[in-house]
Structures are given as structure tokens and as C-alpha cells.
Amino acid sequence: MKPARFDYVRADSLAEVHDVLAAECGEAAVIAGGQSLVPLLSMRMARPKVVLDIMRIPELAGISLDGDTIRVGAAVRQAELLAWSQLKARQPLLALTLPWVGHAQTRARGTVCGSVALADPSAEIPLTLLALRGEVELSTKAGRRRVAAEDFFQGLMSTARADDELIEAIRFPCGRPGEGHAFREFARRHGDFAIVACAAVADGKGVRLAVGGVADRPVARTFAGLGGSMLGQALDAFAHELEAREDLHATAAYRRELVRQLGRQVIEEARRCRA
Amino acid sequence: MPRLSADQRHCVRLTLNGRAVEGEAEPRMLLTDFLRHVIGATGTHVGCEHGVCGACTIEIDGALARACLTLAVQADGTSVRTVEGLAPEPGRLSVLQAAFRRHHALQCGFCTPGILMSLDHYLRSHPLPTETDVREFLGGHLCRCTGYVPIIAAALDAAERLRNGETDA
Amino acid sequence: MTAETGPWLGQSIERVEDVALLSGRGRYFDDLGVRPGTLQAAILRSPHAHAVIKSIDVTAARAAPGVVAVLTGGEVTALSVSLVVGVRAPIQCWPIAVDRVRYVGEPVAVVVAADRYLAEDALELIEVEYDALPAVIDPTAALDSKVLLHDGLKSNVASDRSFRYGDPEAAFASAAHRIAVDIHYPRNSCTPIETYGVVAEYEPGDDSYDVLANFMGPFSLHPVMARSLKVPVNRFRLRTPPDSGGSFGVKQGVFPYVVLIALAARIAGRPVKWVEDRLEHLAASVSATNRVTRLEAAVERDGRITALAYDQIDDVGAHIRAPEPATLYRMLGNLTGAYDIRHMSVRNRVVLTNKTPSGLNRGFGGPQVYYALERLMQRIAVELKHDPLDVIRRNLVPANAFPYRTASGGLLDSGDYPAAVEMAVNDGGLSELRARRDRAHLEGRLYGIGFTAVVEPSVSNMGYVTAVLTADERRKAGPKNGAQATATVAIDPGGGVSVHIASVPQGQGHRTVAAQIAADALGLKPQDIRVISDFDSARDAWSIASGNYSSRFAAAVGGAIHIAAMRIKDKLARGAAAQLNVPADQVEFTGGRARARGNPDNAVPFARLAAASHWAPGTLPEDAHALRETVFWTPPQLTPPTDTDEINASLCHGFIFDFCGVEVDRTTGAVRIDKYVTMHDCGRVLHPGMVAGQITGGFAHALGAAVYEEFAYSPEGAFLSGTFADYLVPTPTEVPAPVILHMETPSPFTPLGAKGVAEGNCMSTPACIANAVADALGIAEIDLPLSPKRLAPFLHKPEPKP
Ligand code: FES
Ligand code: FES
């Protein structure tokens, strides 16, 4: 279980990153915290020609407020965001979901953007980004663009990032007054990737429910003002639309049932929080 | 920085438990292998090489890290702490280590270096943890021998002694 | 706690092992230096569950940078012979695939290179052409499958034996009820955090091998390895490192790799080292057997069981690798558990499937048997509408019956099972737990209570596995029995004491307890005693029963240490007698001195007395030369199987009674252990802290087996539990603290009265938790692990159509 050979570049500047990414045409792997990449390297499931370390680039460090948005740079570790003094005040949903990301030991190294880049369908950070209608900031030598979370996650571990693009930051909208948030997940053990995770944001218009662990990517749906059996029917329809995965730990039917039950729980909880 | 080529060994310098060390590593070398087999610091153990068991947990620049999920070249220029750096002097134990011994919080001792590193780090910033806190924090470690019960007891005991002013020195 | 005075046994003194282990100065396999020039091996493994190897092309790998040698089945068969197979059948067992692969992960080629990275690079250059064959995964389907694993057999059944004890037919015919359970016990393993490691070297000058491996025994496998390597036992030197990162039986399974790496060293002409990685370990080290059991009981109206009928199909995987089929036979003398049942029939089948070969694993055979037996006890209670605890009580071996000979020949040494149960019920707070359950039910929660009573065997009879042979076959093969334990106590020229043991500790603290035993015998402090536990077959006293298994340390090895220390003491007493001017039997050893009984001032320091045999032997009578005593001790109770297949498979029998309360989450199916009480009678307790450690550790393993862990295979044979993200080992958030209770009835058969204690919860706990879950959900059939996936059908309403 040892990685195959690769070159290593520790970039000092964004320009250097962009140059390498452009030159390698998809054969470069960006390493930040390394929590997902290194095991893939060791199992030789990832075979990059060059590993590009972005952790010492000053522009990628730091959490900043940009109007109503929390901007999290690519070098920000999950623990750093979790410890950010304004987290709960600015975005209560993130404060609810981040403690569920891995373990303290992996959050200390793993980056927020790294989890988004990997796009594991069970991961909490992509789910939260989607629930909040966040955005991903991508850049190349030629320029930058922002992609909505909804469009960014495209399937199992697959995203809208082009080979030459770097995820420079992700942007979480701040919580607004009158919003309610709730999050629940079920995993076999504490700290495991979720079998089903549900995040909900309630506002005056309805409740947006995002579900992870079920389909090949996190999926969100807005439930306007429904309750009782109407909500039940809507959740049931949603559960069936998700094309639930089947694996060692859960059947598709099991996942759908958890969407129905946990989904309702978080929707109701988010509404209660709003009140 | 220049590109380190795949098939050559490159000098990696770091501070290990307060002392400067250096050795050579190909870019692909894992930090676990570098510490254990290049530097000779075998206290950091390898249980899974995929980031789950926690046996390889160390501190890099004051933050916890899985050494098996770190490339040696990534650690160049950092300050690393490992289990070898916990005891105040040879033959003496830190408050936490002594609590482990008192509570029989280790059997084979293979998971222990990682757990000690995690707890040492944690207790410095969380002087008053509850049992639930400690269990949740140690969720990132596997121990196959002890059933965790004595580890939790040792951690809580050490926390209390540290609060009461017992020191490692 | 650091105790100040003896007697040391019975005190939880701090372990002598710990300062080094806590400081990163352990000496585990991979921490030890190797000879300059030592090469590293990596192993190419089968991606197929079953396939013919059409061709292997290693040309490119041989030419790869750093590569010194590449081995495939051809090289291995040329230089060695098959490992012995424990049943009468024309089949072979090689440490590498020969012409055919039979499980995912089976070794196909070994690359030996300058370092592990280069070795793995070269693995990628090996081209293997496979012709995939259909795989057999389900043990029942394997019985009459057309797909055969071994051409030497007419079916996949490698052994089929039936046993009859008492008159089971009559008991069943006259029984008021027949109640049965059908069980599919899954595969799992205790997965020590340290994986396997071997470093081997070959000396062509005298055709000998020298191997260091983190092997744990039993050393009955030493001659097996030597034979496979085609050298006499004395030309196969096997050493173990001072520290081990856990085993729980699992490191028995390194032995085929010892052979493989030894051959690699021979071919490479240099020392070769191999460290197993975790993926290799999960896929291909070893596993407990999975077992299909139908167990039926003849039951009276009051719940008394008069007879049992077992039908067991034990799945040993793709090869019968030694010591299999031992998993099936370790419990033969104990199939009636803690109960007084006089009639029994047994059918034991050993079946081969396309899975990793099985072997030792904590509890060895016990979990499979007790899961069936204790589920049956609960079913009897439910079907006859009795309290499950009463059904247990009604059937327990009575207190005055010890030593008790079981129907199938086990000899239960000591105990008072009814008293232990009552003590646990009272001290463990059963009535309070019942009140909690009632409250939970009122709140609409799913809550259940489970019970189990278990006899925990320890110190295996080296002859039990021969019960797989017929009496006739046994006569031809010659009798096998006993369990030689060894220990050496030596005095050095400074009058210091050291103890050498061949128990190959795997983290259990043997060195500490050995020091306690010797210190008590000699009136010294444990710190005064130096205990050496790394093992060297070329220098140490050992026998086939040496090693670390069947919880034999406290009972057998501890006893041997005691006997050796007492022999030294008796000799020293004779030497002291002359100096103190008292008869030898009036000399007592205490506080580091030998002194005249009743006259403490008439004394001589221990070290001075002890050194005399080195410095002034001429002043001592010959029977007072106290230099070194090696003891071999084997208990006479461990006799070979009788002609009617009765077997006392183990020397000691502890008793465990458990009960627990669990809650099942209605939405997710998650099982939460609310309270777990475990009562143990393991005879005399030598070190309470270590006993508690064995119980909590065993409990955690058992909880893993009950709820989380499974080596899962797809019906086509793909291995689905290949990483620690798929094979779910419980973490601190999953394992609650059990309430541990004790009762001590010393074993009359062991020198110190101790019995084994390490494996019991692996036998009792899975069934106890399952009984509680069955109670909570009101269901009859329930298999492990108790995963949400498995419980969901009992919780979730049928799904509405989209
Ligand atoms: S060896 Fe690094 S987490 Fe297991
Ligand atoms: S003490 Fe052995 S794994 Fe923890």
C-alpha cells in the first residue's frame, strides 16, 4: 500500500498553481489536507503525474466575510472553520453540520474545499453548501468563475471543475433573520460517512431540504408550506426520485425510508427553529 | 518552489520533538515511513495506512495529523511532535502517560502512541472534558485490546490532575 | 496503584511493560533492525474469487528497478511441500496459489525488491491471465454444488462426522416439545492493530531457515512450517519480537507467510522482510469460520432440556489450513454449555467455499456454538411462555456436581453456576433494569432484555482436533493429547532472578504476572524479577502447546512459573538451612531475605544466598544448587478422545452469566446498549486490573461481532469489507462500559487455581445482545451482525409504491 511515483510541487503562488494545472492536462492532483487524496494515492487508485501542494499560498488562507457571504479559502482546514468565532452567528447550519465531518483528528488537517472537491455523495460539507445555495469559486490562469453548488456536483465524485481549474474558495451565504436550520444524519459509527444525512433551511417561503448519502450526489428540494400527510407524500415522491444507492450498509429502500423519516424530522425542526 | 522529481530523493528537514532532523525522501514517501525508517523514530505506529485507525496520529505545527495521510515532503520545514516527545525525561512519564499506566489503559500498546498524542493535544485546550466529550474526541482512534473503558478513565483522571496543578516537568 | 508489599498475586500492580510502550520505545516487529541488505517483499493477490491461472508473466517485473526475485506457485512447489491438512482427504494447502485461485486476496506472486515501494511498482508489471470460474460462497449451497474447490474431493465437504452421546432419540421421542433454531453465523475477525510481519533468511550451508515473525503460536505449527520447508524442526529457527501489537488468535495466521517469505529469502539469496498492509490483512489474513447451525432441543413442559441435536456446517474457506477444522472441534466436549443435558446428537460438516481460509480468532468456536445454544434458550422461553431466566436456571449444572463430566466428555472443573446467576441478578440490578424496560415500553420505545449463560473453556487439549478422525483413524495415527506448558526460572551470578516464558504475549501483560508469581514464591518484589518473553525456538524451552491461545497463560503457564520458582526456592531453602541452622522446611522467604520461621533475625539476604550456587557451589549440598529450573507441566485431565468420541477439549472452565438491556431506534434500527452486566467466575484472579482489561476488551470485540463487523462477500465472491471504512470496528463512541462482577471458585486442576478469562465475552455477548434485540422486536430469527439493514424489515412499514 504505497503510492506510485509522482513529482511534487509546493506552489508559492496562485500563478504557479494555474501554470501547473494548465500544463499537466488533468494529470496533476491538488493536495491540501490530503485526507482523501493520500489514501487514494496509497491504494494506487489515484495516479497523478504531479502532486500540487497549495497549503502555503497566502491568498488561499483565511475565512472572510464578503457582504452576506462567508468565503472560505482553499487552504482553510475544517477545524479552523469550526473554530471560527462568528460561525454560529453567521451560519447556524454550518455550525450544526461541521462537527459531523470525520473526526477531530481528520478535521485538523482536512480542508473545507477539499471535501467539496472530492464530492463524496455522503459528505456533510457538500450537502451544507447545497442546502445553503452556496457557490464554488474556480480559477484558471485565464480567469475565474463561480458555479452554484447545484450545478457543481454532477455525480459520484464528479464535479464541474475543469482539469485546469483550482477551487480557490467556496462561498456559504450567511444566515438571514427568520431562517430556521436543522441537521440530522445517520451513520453506522460516529464520524463515518452518512448513510443518510438531511439538512434543512426554513424561511418564509418554505423549507429547503438537502439530502446526502442517498443519490450519487447531494440533492435539494424545496417543500413549500406543506405539512401532515401532504408533506409525507411529497417526501415519499422525493425519496423515490433520488435513485437511492444500495451498498453493504444499507439498501435503497432503507435509504428512502430514512429520507421520509429523517427528512420530516429536520423539516419540522427547522420550522420550529424559525418560530 | 522547484519541482521535486518523482524518482529522486530529496532532503526533508523538520523539527522532531524540538530537535532538527533531516533525511531523504522520494516525493511519494509517506511521513510514517520517513519518521520510522529514515529517521528511526519508531514510536509512531502504522495500523491501516488509510487514515482510520489513528495509530499514526502526531502533531504537525501544533495541529493533530495522521502521519499516514501525510507525505514526508509536505512536512518539510514543519515542527513535528511524536510520542517520543511526551515524557519529561527518559524513564519518567507525563501526567497523561502515568494515568495510562495506572488505569491499565493499554495492553499491546500499539494504538497507544496515537491516542496519547491526541489526548495530549486535547487536554491542553479542553481542561474540563466530560466522558462524552472524550469518547467523541477519541472516536478517531481504534483500540482492539482495551474496550476503551480504561482509556477514557485515564484521560479523565489526567485531566483532573492537570487541573489540580500536577505538571509533567 | 503501586502496591508496597506482597503477596503480589491478586493485586493490580502497574505493568512492567508500560513505561517503554507509553514512551514510544516498544520493540514491535517493524521496530527491530534487520541485517544490512535485507530486501522487502510485496505480494500480488487474486482479484478473483475462483479462477484458473492460465499464465503468469513476470518478465517485466523481474527487470524492474530494484527487483531481485519474483516467486510464483511454480517456485514455491519446487522448493517446499504442501502444508499438512487436518482431515483425511487428498487435498493440499499451499501458501500461494498453484494453478488456481480460490479466494479474493489469495497470493499469486511475490516480488522481492530493495524497498517496499519498488516491490509494489513491480507488482503492477506482472501479467496474470485468469480464466474465471463460478464461485461458491454460501456454505449450504456448497454442500452439493457442482463447482468444486478441490479436485481431490468429490464434493466441497471435507469432513462429515456424526456423534451420539446418551440416548438422544429416546429423549426426543418422549419430549413434550421440540424447539429449534436456525443460525447463520457470519465471518469476522478481531483485526489486531498491528498487522503481520515476517523477516526470513536461508543458510544453504546447512539447509536451515532463520525467521523472525510476529507469530503467536500454537507451536504445534512449528513442525508444520518446518515440514513444509523440508527441513528438520531443529533447522527451522523461529523467533518472535519482544512486543506484539495484539493478536486475539489472529497472528496464528501468519504461519503460511512464514513459509512463503522463507522461500522468498532462499530464492533471493538474501534476507527478506514482509510487512502485511491493512488491505491485505482484511482480505486475506484469516477469519473466524462462518457457520450454519440447526440446533434442536427436546424440552419438558417446565423448560428442562433433555436432549440436543446439533447440525453444524462450518465454513473454513478455500483451504483447510492448520489447525482447522479445529474451530468445529474445540467445543465438542462443551456443546451442552452450562447446562446439565445428558443426551445429544451432533453432525459436524466441514465445508470449503471461495473465501479466505479460517483460523484462530478470540473465542475460537465458542461464539458459533453459543450463539445457537443461547438463542435456543431464549426461544424455548418464548415458545413455552416461561421467563428466559427461569429456563436458564432450570437447566444449569447444579452446584454440587463438580467436577462435572458433560455428555460429550468435557470435564467442568469447578464452579457454582446457580449462585453466580443469583449474585449477578442481585448485584447487577436486574429488577431495576426490568423497570427501565417497562418504562421504555410505556413510552413506546423498543427495548428488550437478553440473558446468556456460558462456560468458557481454556487451556486446550492438543488432542481435541483428532476427534475429526474416526476412532480407527486415530488409532492408526497414534494418540494426541495434553498441553505442555513451560517456564524457566534462573538465578544469575548476582543473585538476581529471571523468568523465561514461551507464552508469546500479545499485549496481555504476561511479564508482569510472571514477575508477581515468581516474586510471591521467592519473597521478592516484582521489580526484582526480570521476565524475558521474546521467543527463540533454538534456545528456549518449548513444546507444541507453547504460545498464546486458548487463554492458557494464567492457568497453565502461570502454574509452570510457580512450580519452577518453587523448585528454586526449595533448593535455596536447603542451602539456607545450613547457614541458618534450621531444617529446610523451617526456612521462609520474605522481604528479600531467607529467614528462620519464628526467628526473623536469623536471616540471610536473598541475593547472597542465591548467588552462592555460582560462586561457592562447593559449600552447598548438590541438591541445593539453585541455578536454573525449567518446568514442563501438562495436566493429566487432558486425555485423548475416547473410542466413543468423548473429549475433554479444555482443562479449565470458567463461568459467565450476562444480561443486558438494549434499545432499538425505530427510525434507523440502530442498536444502543443501555446496560450490560457480565458476571465472571474465572477461578483465582491473579491481577484484577488485567482481568478487567481482558473482559472489557473481549466485550468490545463481541459488541463489534454482534452489531458492526462482518467480512461480507457478494454472491459472486467479491470481497466487500476491504478497508477499515467498510469493516466496521467499534470506536469509543460505540462501546459502553460493562458492569463486571466476579465470583472466585479456584480450579482444582491448575497450580494457582486460575482459569482463562480472555475469550468468554466473545462467546456470551453476541448472543446476549441478540436475545435482547429479539425481545425488543418480538422476533424469532435473527442473525448477526445486528445491522440497521438487517433490522429495518422489522421496523419499517412496507414501502409505498412510487
Ligand atoms: S495508520 Fe494512519 S490512521 Fe491508521
Ligand atoms: S492496546 Fe492494543 S490496540 Fe490498543
Side-chain angles (χ1 to χ4, degrees), chain B residues 32 45-57 66-69:
Chain B
T32 37
H45 293 161
V46 175
C48 71
E49 279 184 318
H50 55 280
V52 185
C53 76
C56 67
T57 305
R66 307 283 213 217
C68 77
L69 299 186

Side-chain angles (χ1 to χ4, degrees), chain B residues 36 42-46 54-58 64 81-84 86 96-97 100 106 108-120 141, chain C residues 20-26 28:
Chain B
R36 293 178 49 78
T42 54
T44 300
H45 293 161
V46 175
C56 67
T57 305
I58 59 172
L64 290 175
R81 273 184 89 219
T82 63
V83 67
E84 287 98 334
L86 287 181
L96 178 65
Q97 289 170 309
F100 266 59
L106 67 161
C108 78
F110 204 77
C111 68
T112 312
I115 293 181
L116 287 173
M117 291 312 294
S118 263
L119 281 174
D120 178 77
H141 289 274
Chain C
L21 298 185
L22 286 163
S23 309
R25 290 192 305 270
Y28 302 89

Side-chain angles (χ1 to χ4, degrees), chain C residues 457-472:
Chain C
S458 53
V459 188
S460 282
N461 183 343
M462 298 312 284
Y464 75 72
V465 70
T466 61
V468 71
L469 307 175
T470 63
D472 242 10

Side-chain angles (χ1 to χ4, degrees), chain C residues 42-48 51 53 56 71-74 76 83 93-111 123 126 128 130 196 253-254 256-261 274 276 280 283-286 318-319 321 355-357:
Chain C
I43 299 175
L44 181 71
R45 293 173 180 277
S46 168
H48 294 280
I53 299 174
I56 307 181
L71 280 73
T72 62
V76 170
L83 298 161
C93 177
W94 295 95
I96 192 168
V98 176
D99 302 333
R100 192 158 145 192
V101 290
R102 293 182 175 85
Y103 60 96
V104 172
E106 183 159 22
V108 171
V110 182
V111 168
L123 288 186
I126 299 178
V128 188
Y130 293 102
Y196 293 168
V254 72
Y257 292 103
V258 168
V259 172
L260 191 59
I261 300 305
W274 169 71
E276 182 193 50
E280 297 181 275
S285 58
V286 82
H319 300 282
R321 191 190 271 171
K355 304 194 192 84
T356 302

Side-chain angles (χ1 to χ4, degrees), chain A residues 35-114:
Chain A
Q35 303 301 286
S36 315
L37 179 64
V38 178
L40 292 174
L41 293 172
S42 287
M43 295 179 197
R44 301 194 177 203
M45 287 158 71
R47 311 285 305 242
K49 250 172 49 198
V50 53
V51 168
L52 180 56
D53 187 342
I54 59 166
M55 290 306 278
R56 298 190 201 186
I57 300 173
E59 298 97 299
L60 298 180
I63 306 160
S64 56
L65 279 171
D66 180 0
D68 276 349
T69 307
I70 305 165
R71 185 179 184 276
V72 182
V76 174
R77 307 205 194 259
Q78 293 152 8
E80 190 184 339
L81 183 57
L82 187 55
W84 184 45
S85 59
Q86 303 186 53
L87 183 69
K88 198 160 171 208
R90 296 290 177 177
Q91 186 36 273
L93 187 64
L94 261 179
L96 288 175
T97 60
L98 278 178
W100 291 82
V101 179
H103 299 282
Q105 294 80 3
T106 57
R107 290 193 297 268
R109 287 292 282 182
T111 60
V112 180
C113 290

Side-chain angles (χ1 to χ4, degrees), chain B residues 2-133:
Chain B
R3 184 168 178 141
L4 305 185
S5 69
D7 49 5
Q8 271 166 27
R9 297 197 177 153
H10 309 273
C11 185
V12 173
R13 291 192 182 85
L14 49 84
T15 309
L16 179 61
N17 300 318
R19 284 195 199 180
V21 297
E22 65 175 70
E24 293 199 324
E26 281 184 9
R28 64 171 165 172
M29 180 175 269
L30 302 173
L31 183 57
T32 37
D33 287 330
F34 182 76
L35 289 174
R36 293 178 49 78
H37 299 303
V38 179
I39 302 298
T42 54
T44 300
H45 293 161
V46 175
C48 71
E49 279 184 318
H50 55 280
V52 185
C53 76
C56 67
T57 305
I58 59 172
E59 254 182 30
I60 302 177
D61 287 338
L64 290 175
R66 307 283 213 217
C68 77
L69 299 186
T70 309
L71 304 172
V73 287
Q74 278 179 290
D76 184 40
T78 64
S79 171
V80 170
R81 273 184 89 219
T82 63
V83 67
E84 287 98 334
L86 287 181
E89 61 187 65
R92 281 191 48 211
L93 297 178
S94 71
V95 172
L96 178 65
Q97 289 170 309
F100 266 59
R101 181 157 77 143
R102 261 195 316 282
H103 288 270
H104 302 289
L106 67 161
Q107 288 179 29
C108 78
F110 204 77
C111 68
T112 312
I115 293 181
L116 287 173
M117 291 312 294
S118 263
L119 281 174
D120 178 77
H121 177 92
Y122 180 73
L123 294 181
R124 270 183 276 135
S125 49
H126 299 77
L128 205 95
T130 64
E131 173 176 340
T132 313
D133 294 339

Side-chain angles (χ1 to χ4, degrees), chain A residues 1-3 5 43-44 47 186 188-190 236 240 247-250 253-254 256-258 260-261 265, chain C residues 117 120-121 124 277 279 667-668 707-708 712 720 724 726 728-729 733-734 788-789 792 796 799-800 802:
Chain A
M1 235 188 125
K2 308 291 181 192
R5 279 186 168 142
M43 295 179 197
R44 301 194 177 203
R47 311 285 305 242
F186 178 65
R188 292 297 312 281
R189 298 172 303 183
H190 184 78
D236 184 46
H240 279 294
D247 64 17
L248 181 59
H249 300 302
Y254 178 91
R256 284 194 290 272
E257 182 61 21
L258 258 60
R260 289 187 276 263
Q261 293 200 33
Q265 288 169 18
Chain C
Y117 291 78
E120 292 195 17
D121 291 346
E124 299 186 312
D277 68 35
L279 305 190
T667 299
T668 62
V707 183
Y708 299 99
L720 307 176
F724 263 162
D726 309 296
L728 305 181
V729 171
T733 43
E734 282 77 47
K789 185 173 172 176
H796 294 165
E799 191 173 32

